[in-house]
Amino acid sequence: MAKTDTYEMPPHGWTCFFCGDTFTTVGAAQDHFGGDLMSAAACQIKAGEEMGLLMALRKAEAELARYRVEDSDADRRYYAMQAEHAAALQRAEEDGYARGLRDAICVGFDA
Ligand SMILES: [Zn+2]
């Protein structure tokens, strides 16, 4: 979530409209309220006691949000592979250049 989408934490924290619980850290509040305005509060999701399920939901929501801005794990792997490929190409080019230079020097000394 972009920093401009939120406001600073009030001194008392954030209190849930539904259950009245108060959250004094961004992470705890985000886990309870979700990552965006369309998210259901954790207390409204009947699996509230199933923290593992809730965390999986929040993780999926975060992954979906990253897909929307083309920053998914798959995108990151793709860009990392592109960077590795470019670096390997550059190394191969430099090796070839060095070999060519070495050969030219050898030819130069022999002639
Ligand atoms: Zn609540």
PDB file of all heavy atoms in Angstrom, residues 3 14 28-29 36 38-40 47 55 58 62 65 85 88 100 102-103 107 110:
ATOM      1  N   LYS A   3       2.291   4.841   0.839  1.00  0.00           N
ATOM      2  CA  LYS A   3       2.271   5.565   2.101  1.00  0.00           C
ATOM      3  C   LYS A   3       1.208   6.670   2.077  1.00  0.00           C
ATOM      4  O   LYS A   3       0.637   7.004   3.085  1.00  0.00           O
ATOM      5  CB  LYS A   3       3.660   6.143   2.368  1.00  0.00           C
ATOM      6  CG  LYS A   3       3.835   6.578   3.795  1.00  0.00           C
ATOM      7  CD  LYS A   3       5.278   6.931   4.061  1.00  0.00           C
ATOM      8  CE  LYS A   3       5.495   7.320   5.500  1.00  0.00           C
ATOM      9  NZ  LYS A   3       5.565   6.212   6.401  1.00  0.00           N
ATOM     10  N   TRP A  14      -5.726   2.364  16.333  1.00  0.00           N
ATOM     11  CA  TRP A  14      -6.949   2.263  15.528  1.00  0.00           C
ATOM     12  C   TRP A  14      -7.914   1.323  16.227  1.00  0.00           C
ATOM     13  O   TRP A  14      -7.548   0.220  16.621  1.00  0.00           O
ATOM     14  CB  TRP A  14      -6.639   1.699  14.139  1.00  0.00           C
ATOM     15  CG  TRP A  14      -5.825   2.607  13.291  1.00  0.00           C
ATOM     16  CD1 TRP A  14      -6.265   3.680  12.579  1.00  0.00           C
ATOM     17  CD2 TRP A  14      -4.427   2.511  13.035  1.00  0.00           C
ATOM     18  NE1 TRP A  14      -5.222   4.260  11.904  1.00  0.00           N
ATOM     19  CE2 TRP A  14      -4.077   3.562  12.159  1.00  0.00           C
ATOM     20  CE3 TRP A  14      -3.415   1.647  13.463  1.00  0.00           C
ATOM     21  CZ2 TRP A  14      -2.789   3.766  11.707  1.00  0.00           C
ATOM     22  CZ3 TRP A  14      -2.127   1.850  13.019  1.00  0.00           C
ATOM     23  CH2 TRP A  14      -1.826   2.896  12.148  1.00  0.00           C
ATOM     24  N   ALA A  28      -0.501  -5.026  13.029  1.00  0.00           N
ATOM     25  CA  ALA A  28      -1.673  -5.613  13.685  1.00  0.00           C
ATOM     26  C   ALA A  28      -2.955  -5.021  13.105  1.00  0.00           C
ATOM     27  O   ALA A  28      -3.934  -5.739  12.865  1.00  0.00           O
ATOM     28  CB  ALA A  28      -1.601  -5.380  15.188  1.00  0.00           C
ATOM     29  N   ALA A  29      -2.962  -3.706  12.864  1.00  0.00           N
ATOM     30  CA  ALA A  29      -4.143  -3.054  12.295  1.00  0.00           C
ATOM     31  C   ALA A  29      -4.398  -3.559  10.883  1.00  0.00           C
ATOM     32  O   ALA A  29      -5.540  -3.852  10.516  1.00  0.00           O
ATOM     33  CB  ALA A  29      -3.959  -1.539  12.299  1.00  0.00           C
ATOM     34  N   ASP A  36      -6.800  -2.941   2.040  1.00  0.00           N
ATOM     35  CA  ASP A  36      -7.464  -1.850   1.331  1.00  0.00           C
ATOM     36  C   ASP A  36      -8.901  -1.686   1.809  1.00  0.00           C
ATOM     37  O   ASP A  36      -9.389  -2.459   2.640  1.00  0.00           O
ATOM     38  CB  ASP A  36      -7.414  -2.058  -0.189  1.00  0.00           C
ATOM     39  CG  ASP A  36      -8.115  -3.338  -0.621  1.00  0.00           C
ATOM     40  OD1 ASP A  36      -9.276  -3.534  -0.231  1.00  0.00           O
ATOM     41  OD2 ASP A  36      -7.496  -4.124  -1.365  1.00  0.00           O
ATOM     42  N   MET A  38     -11.648  -2.324   0.476  1.00  0.00           N
ATOM     43  CA  MET A  38     -12.579  -3.382   0.113  1.00  0.00           C
ATOM     44  C   MET A  38     -12.432  -4.620   1.000  1.00  0.00           C
ATOM     45  O   MET A  38     -13.250  -5.531   0.935  1.00  0.00           O
ATOM     46  CB  MET A  38     -12.383  -3.783  -1.353  1.00  0.00           C
ATOM     47  CG  MET A  38     -12.596  -2.628  -2.330  1.00  0.00           C
ATOM     48  SD  MET A  38     -14.165  -1.773  -2.102  1.00  0.00           S
ATOM     49  CE  MET A  38     -15.282  -3.020  -2.719  1.00  0.00           C
ATOM     50  N   SER A  39     -11.389  -4.657   1.822  1.00  0.00           N
ATOM     51  CA  SER A  39     -11.158  -5.824   2.673  1.00  0.00           C
ATOM     52  C   SER A  39     -12.175  -5.879   3.809  1.00  0.00           C
ATOM     53  O   SER A  39     -12.567  -4.852   4.358  1.00  0.00           O
ATOM     54  CB  SER A  39      -9.758  -5.769   3.280  1.00  0.00           C
ATOM     55  OG  SER A  39      -8.786  -5.771   2.281  1.00  0.00           O
ATOM     56  N   ALA A  40     -12.574  -7.086   4.158  1.00  0.00           N
ATOM     57  CA  ALA A  40     -13.429  -7.279   5.325  1.00  0.00           C
ATOM     58  C   ALA A  40     -12.538  -7.325   6.563  1.00  0.00           C
ATOM     59  O   ALA A  40     -11.439  -7.858   6.518  1.00  0.00           O
ATOM     60  CB  ALA A  40     -14.208  -8.581   5.188  1.00  0.00           C
ATOM     61  N   ALA A  47     -13.768 -16.804  10.060  1.00  0.00           N
ATOM     62  CA  ALA A  47     -12.601 -17.613  10.386  1.00  0.00           C
ATOM     63  C   ALA A  47     -11.654 -16.857  11.302  1.00  0.00           C
ATOM     64  O   ALA A  47     -10.480 -17.179  11.389  1.00  0.00           O
ATOM     65  CB  ALA A  47     -11.883 -18.029   9.123  1.00  0.00           C
ATOM     66  N   MET A  55      -4.139 -15.203   8.015  1.00  0.00           N
ATOM     67  CA  MET A  55      -2.834 -14.758   7.517  1.00  0.00           C
ATOM     68  C   MET A  55      -2.674 -15.159   6.052  1.00  0.00           C
ATOM     69  O   MET A  55      -2.126 -14.397   5.257  1.00  0.00           O
ATOM     70  CB  MET A  55      -1.694 -15.327   8.370  1.00  0.00           C
ATOM     71  CG  MET A  55      -1.732 -14.850   9.819  1.00  0.00           C
ATOM     72  SD  MET A  55      -1.902 -13.066  10.034  1.00  0.00           S
ATOM     73  CE  MET A  55      -0.264 -12.550   9.594  1.00  0.00           C
ATOM     74  N   ARG A  58      -4.650 -12.667   4.051  1.00  0.00           N
ATOM     75  CA  ARG A  58      -3.955 -11.378   3.957  1.00  0.00           C
ATOM     76  C   ARG A  58      -2.770 -11.475   3.008  1.00  0.00           C
ATOM     77  O   ARG A  58      -2.494 -10.550   2.246  1.00  0.00           O
ATOM     78  CB  ARG A  58      -3.486 -10.903   5.347  1.00  0.00           C
ATOM     79  CG  ARG A  58      -4.616 -10.589   6.303  1.00  0.00           C
ATOM     80  CD  ARG A  58      -5.580  -9.571   5.737  1.00  0.00           C
ATOM     81  NE  ARG A  58      -6.569  -9.177   6.728  1.00  0.00           N
ATOM     82  CZ  ARG A  58      -7.835  -8.917   6.446  1.00  0.00           C
ATOM     83  NH1 ARG A  58      -8.264  -9.017   5.200  1.00  0.00           N
ATOM     84  NH2 ARG A  58      -8.662  -8.546   7.382  1.00  0.00           N
ATOM     85  N   ALA A  62      -2.262  -9.361  -0.387  1.00  0.00           N
ATOM     86  CA  ALA A  62      -1.048  -8.591  -0.663  1.00  0.00           C
ATOM     87  C   ALA A  62      -0.450  -9.005  -2.006  1.00  0.00           C
ATOM     88  O   ALA A  62       0.002  -8.161  -2.783  1.00  0.00           O
ATOM     89  CB  ALA A  62      -0.037  -8.777   0.464  1.00  0.00           C
ATOM     90  N   ALA A  65      -2.495  -7.532  -4.714  1.00  0.00           N
ATOM     91  CA  ALA A  65      -2.210  -6.099  -4.840  1.00  0.00           C
ATOM     92  C   ALA A  65      -0.906  -5.885  -5.594  1.00  0.00           C
ATOM     93  O   ALA A  65      -0.787  -4.977  -6.420  1.00  0.00           O
ATOM     94  CB  ALA A  65      -2.142  -5.458  -3.455  1.00  0.00           C
ATOM     95  N   HIS A  85      20.790 -13.035 -16.908  1.00  0.00           N
ATOM     96  CA  HIS A  85      21.097 -13.298 -18.315  1.00  0.00           C
ATOM     97  C   HIS A  85      21.941 -12.160 -18.886  1.00  0.00           C
ATOM     98  O   HIS A  85      22.934 -12.402 -19.576  1.00  0.00           O
ATOM     99  CB  HIS A  85      19.802 -13.454 -19.113  1.00  0.00           C
ATOM    100  CG  HIS A  85      20.003 -13.799 -20.548  1.00  0.00           C
ATOM    101  ND1 HIS A  85      20.505 -15.013 -20.957  1.00  0.00           N
ATOM    102  CD2 HIS A  85      19.800 -13.081 -21.683  1.00  0.00           C
ATOM    103  CE1 HIS A  85      20.592 -15.029 -22.276  1.00  0.00           C
ATOM    104  NE2 HIS A  85      20.169 -13.862 -22.742  1.00  0.00           N
ATOM    105  N   ALA A  88      25.423 -12.471 -17.565  1.00  0.00           N
ATOM    106  CA  ALA A  88      26.138 -13.583 -18.196  1.00  0.00           C
ATOM    107  C   ALA A  88      26.575 -13.197 -19.608  1.00  0.00           C
ATOM    108  O   ALA A  88      27.700 -13.514 -20.027  1.00  0.00           O
ATOM    109  CB  ALA A  88      25.243 -14.822 -18.237  1.00  0.00           C
ATOM    110  N   GLY A 100      40.362 -12.112 -27.412  1.00  0.00           N
ATOM    111  CA  GLY A 100      40.746 -11.479 -28.671  1.00  0.00           C
ATOM    112  C   GLY A 100      41.962 -10.595 -28.489  1.00  0.00           C
ATOM    113  O   GLY A 100      42.889 -10.587 -29.305  1.00  0.00           O
ATOM    114  N   ARG A 102      44.217 -10.906 -26.110  1.00  0.00           N
ATOM    115  CA  ARG A 102      45.349 -11.781 -25.828  1.00  0.00           C
ATOM    116  C   ARG A 102      45.897 -12.356 -27.142  1.00  0.00           C
ATOM    117  O   ARG A 102      47.099 -12.353 -27.373  1.00  0.00           O
ATOM    118  CB  ARG A 102      44.883 -12.900 -24.897  1.00  0.00           C
ATOM    119  CG  ARG A 102      45.958 -13.456 -24.013  1.00  0.00           C
ATOM    120  CD  ARG A 102      45.417 -14.408 -22.953  1.00  0.00           C
ATOM    121  NE  ARG A 102      44.363 -15.274 -23.400  1.00  0.00           N
ATOM    122  CZ  ARG A 102      43.123 -15.263 -22.894  1.00  0.00           C
ATOM    123  NH1 ARG A 102      42.811 -14.416 -21.935  1.00  0.00           N
ATOM    124  NH2 ARG A 102      42.214 -16.080 -23.352  1.00  0.00           N
ATOM    125  N   ASP A 103      44.993 -12.813 -28.001  1.00  0.00           N
ATOM    126  CA  ASP A 103      45.399 -13.379 -29.291  1.00  0.00           C
ATOM    127  C   ASP A 103      46.092 -12.324 -30.143  1.00  0.00           C
ATOM    128  O   ASP A 103      47.104 -12.599 -30.787  1.00  0.00           O
ATOM    129  CB  ASP A 103      44.183 -13.939 -30.042  1.00  0.00           C
ATOM    130  CG  ASP A 103      43.612 -15.185 -29.354  1.00  0.00           C
ATOM    131  OD1 ASP A 103      44.294 -15.712 -28.437  1.00  0.00           O
ATOM    132  OD2 ASP A 103      42.500 -15.594 -29.725  1.00  0.00           O
ATOM    133  N   VAL A 107      49.832 -12.553 -31.490  1.00  0.00           N
ATOM    134  CA  VAL A 107      50.109 -12.427 -32.927  1.00  0.00           C
ATOM    135  C   VAL A 107      51.107 -11.304 -33.141  1.00  0.00           C
ATOM    136  O   VAL A 107      52.054 -11.424 -33.913  1.00  0.00           O
ATOM    137  CB  VAL A 107      48.805 -12.184 -33.723  1.00  0.00           C
ATOM    138  CG1 VAL A 107      49.115 -11.782 -35.157  1.00  0.00           C
ATOM    139  CG2 VAL A 107      47.958 -13.450 -33.694  1.00  0.00           C
ATOM    140  N   ASP A 110      54.569 -12.439 -32.224  1.00  0.00           N
ATOM    141  CA  ASP A 110      55.100 -13.443 -33.141  1.00  0.00           C
ATOM    142  C   ASP A 110      55.509 -12.828 -34.474  1.00  0.00           C
ATOM    143  O   ASP A 110      56.443 -13.296 -35.105  1.00  0.00           O
ATOM    144  CB  ASP A 110      54.040 -14.531 -33.399  1.00  0.00           C
ATOM    145  CG  ASP A 110      53.879 -15.404 -32.156  1.00  0.00           C
ATOM    146  OD1 ASP A 110      54.741 -15.322 -31.254  1.00  0.00           O
ATOM    147  OD2 ASP A 110      52.876 -16.141 -32.066  1.00  0.00           O
TER     148      ASP A 110
END
